Amino acid sequence: MVNALEQDIADGRLSDGDRLPPHRDLARELSLSVGTVSKAYQEAEQRGIVSGHVGQGTFVRRRSAARAEPPPRDEPINLALNVPVEGGETQILSQTFSEVVREADLAPLLRYHPHGGIWQHREIIAASMSDSKLTVNPTQLFLCNGAQHAIDIALRW
């Protein structure tokens, strides 16, 4: 949705100062949830292509030539959007994906896994977390696929 908004601005369908529809109206028009539209408007504001004013609406604004810098680390983290905090994740993920792609057999990774995670992965993570003061036992380490899975494991334990 944000990319479509950027394209509309680039193509001249939207101009600097144009007022965008209210969240509820756009959600109804696009058959989306109000939350989805709100997140998209927030992302567009972070990208610098709109500005929202409580009680007045959301307006297209001319994007500056330089992309906005990420917020300094001492500012609070915005939990309104479900995106990771900017950092070195891109490089770490790129390296990890390169290693995974080099593996000869990816099929086991595409299947359902044991309830607490693949044993080899639990051993590797436990070893990486252990040091001279703390020993992590892989039998007490569970890899979870989200909060609901974690709660389910905790209640069964």
Side-chain angles (χ1 to χ4, degrees), residues 114-119 121-122 125 141-146 149 153:
H115 197 51
I118 297 173
W119 180 253
H121 296 174
R122 292 166 64 185
I125 292 170
L141 180 67
F142 297 95
L143 305 180
C144 301
N145 298 310
H149 185 216
I153 288 176

Side-chain angles (χ1 to χ4, degrees), residues 12-92:
R13 287 187 289 274
L14 291 171
S15 301
D16 190 33
D18 285 352
R19 184 175 185 202
L20 298 178
H23 297 213
R24 289 189 191 285
D25 294 351
L26 187 58
R28 191 176 315 110
E29 182 180 326
L30 298 176
S31 299
L32 298 171
S33 72
V34 174
T36 299
V37 172
S38 295
K39 287 178 183 179
Y41 275 21
Q42 288 173 346
E43 175 67 22
E45 190 161 4
Q46 286 183 340
R47 291 187 190 183
I49 58 175
V50 302
S51 60
H53 306 282
V54 177
Q56 297 176 7
T58 303
F59 299 87
V60 174
R61 72 177 195 193
R62 185 171 290 124
R63 185 182 211 157
S64 61
R67 185 154 182 132
E69 292 295 319
R73 294 282 180 181
D74 60 343
E75 287 187 15
I77 296 171
N78 179 359
L79 298 178
L81 296 176
N82 189 19
V83 295
V85 177
E86 292 183 21
E89 296 84 10
T90 303
Q91 181 181 1
I92 293 168

